Structure formats: C-alpha cells, structure tokens
Amino acid sequence: MKYLLIFLILTLTACAQLMHGEMQPVIVKDASQKIMYTSCGGAVEDWASCFHKASQACSGNYSELKKVEDNRGTNRELTFQCK
C-alpha cells in the first residue's frame, strides 16, 4: 500500500509538470531591433507553443527570423522579431 501511494504521488507530480510546458521564457537577444528567442522542446511543447509565445511577446505581430529543430523533433528554437 505504501509503494502504491508513492507511485501515485510521483505520477501526479509528473503530470503536473507536463501541464506547465510553456514555462520556458522568451529571451530578448537585441532590444533595439526587437529580436527575441524562445525554445519549445520536449514532448509537451510543439511549434504552436513557440508561435503562441512569440505572439504574446509581440502583441500578435511578429516575423519569424529562424526556426531550428533537431532531427529527433524534440528540441525546437524560434528566433523572431516584433513588428
């Protein structure tokens, strides 16, 4: 019974972490030109997460400058510029 309880707690903790996939920040690379960077890797975040973060950072108006994805499709990086 004790091991089942520990297993359930660990499972719920893991699920809670998956729910917060968009916590990777948007980083300002060049403030004068409004160029920013974000990553959205792992199984939880996809390209839509990156685009959503860029849209929020730029009030919906941005241009993609660079999109990089590793060959496993688990590490995604987006560099963008606010208009």
Side-chain angles (χ1 to χ4, degrees), residues 16 18-19 25 35 61 68 74 81:
L18 289 175
M19 296 302 291
I35 296 175
N61 201 5
V68 178
T74 57
Q81 183 173 29

Side-chain angles (χ1 to χ4, degrees), residues 36-76:
M36 301 182 197
Y37 161 88
T38 190
S39 62
C40 41
V44 176
E45 290 190 296
D46 56 9
W47 281 116
S49 297
C50 271
F51 301 143
H52 178 72
K53 288 190 270 188
S55 182
Q56 283 188 321
C58 298
S59 299
N61 201 5
Y62 68 94
S63 297
E64 293 176 29
L65 300 179
K66 185 177 178 184
K67 246 171 86 171
V68 178
E69 184 172 20
D70 68 3
N71 51 350
R72 293 178 304 180
T74 57
N75 186 28
R76 296 166 207 88

